[in-house]
Amino acid sequence: MIERYTLPEMGALWSPQNKFQKWLDVEIAVCEVHAEDGTIPRDALEEIKAKASFAVERVNEIEKTTDHDVIAFTTNLAENIGPAARFVHYGLTSSDVVDTANALLLKDSCDILLNKIDALSEVLKRRAFEFKDTPQIGRTHGIHAEPTSFGLTWALWFAEMQRNRERLERAKEAVAVGKISGAVGAFAHLAPDVEERVCARLGLKAAPVSTQVIQRDRYAEYLCALAITAGTLEKIALQVRHWQRTEVREAQEKFKAGQKGSSAMPHKRNPILSERICGMARAVRANSIVGLENIALWHERDISHSSAERIVLPDSSATTDYILEKTASLLDGLVVYPENMLKNLNLTRGLVFSGQLLLALTKKGVSREDAYVYTQRNAMKVWDEGGEYKDLVLKDADVRAKLTEEEIEKVFDVRHYLRNVGKVFERVFETNRRGQVG
């Protein structure tokens, strides 16, 4: 069994050094199974394990001649191993090594990203409870709607990140699959049990069936899981950008000492990190299209997917890793202004309570049509003439014929709109403590 190790940073994981190391892990695992079966001598295996090494610069130098990276790699191994190198790559085709090594890289990549999702989720949960009872105006179509809880937004993000976590777990299972089935997947030179034992040594499952390559729907699932996760991060960052607008100013990115917002306008505090997250999420989303287009290959294999994967697999992994970390940092340090939230909630002078007034009148026996007329005509006066909505309602004879002053005061009580927030929090954070929430 290959010894497990502490996960590297994402950049190191996708480095040429680590990629070739994964190739070597696969080659050695195959040699170990061969030695168990007596296909290669035991002393040759020990020599291979003792001397097998490579240098990225040397592999690249050889590839200039071979125009084939795997042959360049095995040639460099042979230079270091000596005669026993004839047993390296025995019965294999290049994709046996590359695709099985990719499974190792993608599996580790998933683990790094899952850790980052967990870190972000901790921030979301903590701040959700911090703002559970903080009133904020809810907006639909960008227009003031009804009061809500600022904490609900964080709870919603938490629940969505849990779904992203579940998607990435499924993607991890999909990509953690190797193959040692030969040039067309028919096991012409090695038996299926060799594949199964090699994959088991590497902590992978063996593909039930393959061609020369692992089927790319698996990689597409991974890239799409990253794209959806990036979409959630963009959604969060876009909301922060709105909150930071001068006219809104309900929350803003932390602005550290010495930071500059504009070369021309010294007063500026711009949501630069949120904008960066939004922009980078677009790249991850675009890369998922490449993954989908790589599913269709000619017959048992072509090479059209390979060049694109060398870009999109490391880039999407690293970009998602980066914006997950940056989103956690952004939200952990987000500066919140509850007083401005309350100010904005009251900006329309009570109009946001019109829906509750409509319901209160209908509960008293007024037809919905008449209740709508009473409610709307006072609202239109506020829009056109100014004044406070509650004051106009208190003076409306039709409304006062049905509602007492105390009942009207209850209509305009913001706490009414937050009375079920606790139940929502219970559903999000306590329904299943094993993590299956959201």
Side-chain angles (χ1 to χ4, degrees):
M1 179 71 70
I2 298 297
E3 183 179 352
R4 300 306 297 161
Y5 55 91
T6 302
L7 286 171
E9 293 296 322
M10 190 66 80
L13 175 65
W14 288 97
S15 68
Q17 177 71 31
N18 196 52
K19 179 186 77 170
F20 290 141
Q21 182 60 53
K22 295 296 193 227
W23 289 10
L24 182 55
D25 290 345
V26 175
E27 294 281 10
I28 288 178
V30 173
C31 288
E32 287 175 338
V33 172
H34 281 322
E36 288 176 357
D37 292 345
T39 309
I40 68 174
R42 175 64 63 175
D43 58 352
L45 170 64
E46 297 307 319
E47 187 173 358
I48 290 168
K49 293 174 70 172
K51 296 182 178 179
S53 64
F54 61 87
V56 174
E57 296 79 6
R58 178 57 179 153
V59 174
N60 292 338
E61 181 183 357
I62 297 170
E63 189 181 355
K64 291 178 182 177
T65 299
T66 62
D67 270 341
H68 195 293
D69 54 356
V70 176
I71 293 176
F73 174 73
T74 56
T75 299
N76 185 208
L77 291 181
E79 291 174 339
N80 296 315
I81 295 171
R86 68 187 184 276
F87 297 113
V88 174
H89 208 70
Y90 184 84
L92 303 182
T93 190
S94 297
S95 293
D96 288 332
V97 176
V98 173
D99 281 8
T100 304
N102 275 347
L104 298 173
L105 293 170
L106 290 167
K107 182 181 178 184
D108 283 353
S109 183
C110 285
D111 286 337
I112 292 173
L113 294 172
L114 288 167
N115 287 340
K116 292 292 176 71
I117 287 176
D118 289 342
L120 172 56
S121 296
E122 289 179 9
V123 174
L124 293 172
K125 181 176 181 178
R126 173 171 53 80
R127 304 220 74 177
F129 279 94
E130 180 182 352
F131 300 116
K132 177 183 176 184
D133 300 316
T134 302
Q136 181 189 36
I137 187 62
R139 298 171 173 91
T140 58
H141 308 276
I143 307 300
H144 284 200
E146 290 183 345
T148 186
S149 156
F150 186 49
L152 277 182
T153 297
W154 298 80
L156 182 140
W157 291 343
F158 175 88
E160 189 163 333
M161 286 309 303
Q162 298 313 295
R163 294 194 296 276
N164 286 324
R165 194 185 200 288
E166 290 167 5
R167 275 186 282 267
L168 191 55
E169 285 279 15
R170 291 195 295 269
K172 176 183 173 181
E173 184 176 355
V175 297
V177 170
K179 57 88 63 184
I180 308 290
S181 56
V184 295
F187 296 98
H189 307 294
L190 300 176
D193 78 289
V194 171
E195 176 185 72
E196 293 166 4
R197 289 152 61 200
V198 168
C199 288
R201 283 176 175 272
L202 296 168
L204 304 173
K205 292 182 180 179
V209 59
S210 66
T211 59
Q212 188 179 120
V213 296
I214 290 291
Q215 298 309 287
R216 262 40 189 182
D217 64 293
R218 296 179 181 275
Y219 292 15
E221 183 173 352
Y222 172 77
L223 290 168
C224 286
L226 299 194
I228 296 171
T229 300
T232 299
L233 302 180
E234 181 179 10
K235 168 184 181 175
I236 293 171
L238 187 65
Q239 186 77 297
V240 172
R241 289 167 61 189
H242 168 76
W243 289 334
Q244 190 160 338
R245 291 175 62 186
T246 307
E247 296 85 354
V248 179
R249 203 160 183 263
E250 294 180 351
Q252 71 173 39
E253 295 183 10
K254 188 175 181 179
F255 197 83
K256 66 179 183 292
Q259 185 175 340
K260 303 294 187 291
S262 165
S263 63
M265 296 169 284
H267 71 278
K268 294 294 290 292
R269 287 184 177 182
N270 298 327
I272 56 171
L273 185 52
S274 298
E275 291 174 336
R276 188 188 311 164
I277 291 166
C278 288
M280 297 181 78
R282 296 168 189 167
V284 179
R285 187 160 55 247
N287 284 351
S288 69
I289 302 299
V290 177
L292 293 169
E293 292 182 346
N294 278 348
I295 293 173
L297 302 176
W298 282 17
H299 307 298
E300 278 62 54
R301 187 225 180 169
D302 66 51
I303 203 172
S304 59
H305 62 288
S306 178
S307 55
E309 285 173 357
R310 296 174 194 226
I311 299 170
V312 300
L313 291 179
D315 279 10
S316 286
S317 302
T319 303
T320 304
D321 175 70
Y322 177 82
I323 60 177
L324 275 168
E325 184 170 311
K326 291 302 178 183
T327 301
S329 176
L330 163 69
L331 297 179
D332 185 55
L334 191 72
V335 181
V336 178
Y337 301 109
E339 66 280 5
N340 283 346
M341 292 182 187
L342 195 58
K343 176 183 175 182
N344 287 337
L345 191 153
N346 294 318
L347 193 64
T348 57
R349 302 182 297 280
L351 291 181
V352 295
F353 298 98
S354 67
Q356 184 60 24
L357 177 61
L358 176 68
L359 294 177
L361 287 168
T362 57
K363 285 175 68 176
K364 288 290 187 174
V366 182
S367 72
R368 184 173 180 84
E369 290 72 20
D370 287 344
Y372 200 99
V373 170
Y374 304 159
T375 305
Q376 187 185 48
R377 71 189 179 198
N378 289 292
M380 293 305 104
K381 286 181 182 179
V382 175
W383 282 122
D384 297 335
E385 302 170 15
E388 291 292 327
Y389 188 48
K390 183 169 72 172
D391 293 343
L392 293 175
V393 169
L394 285 167
K395 296 174 183 177
D396 189 298
D398 291 322
V399 174
R400 290 307 305 273
K402 295 295 182 180
L403 297 175
T404 67
E405 183 174 345
E406 183 181 358
E407 288 170 331
I408 292 174
E409 289 291 343
K410 288 183 178 180
V411 164
F412 287 84
D413 187 350
V414 71
R415 290 173 296 181
H416 173 83
Y417 292 86
L418 307 187
R419 69 189 189 283
N420 288 315
V421 170
K423 182 62 177 179
V424 176
F425 269 56
E426 182 181 325
R427 293 197 311 194
V428 172
F429 297 108
E430 299 180 17
T431 299
N432 189 328
R433 294 183 180 274
R434 290 176 298 177
Q436 301 301 312
V437 296

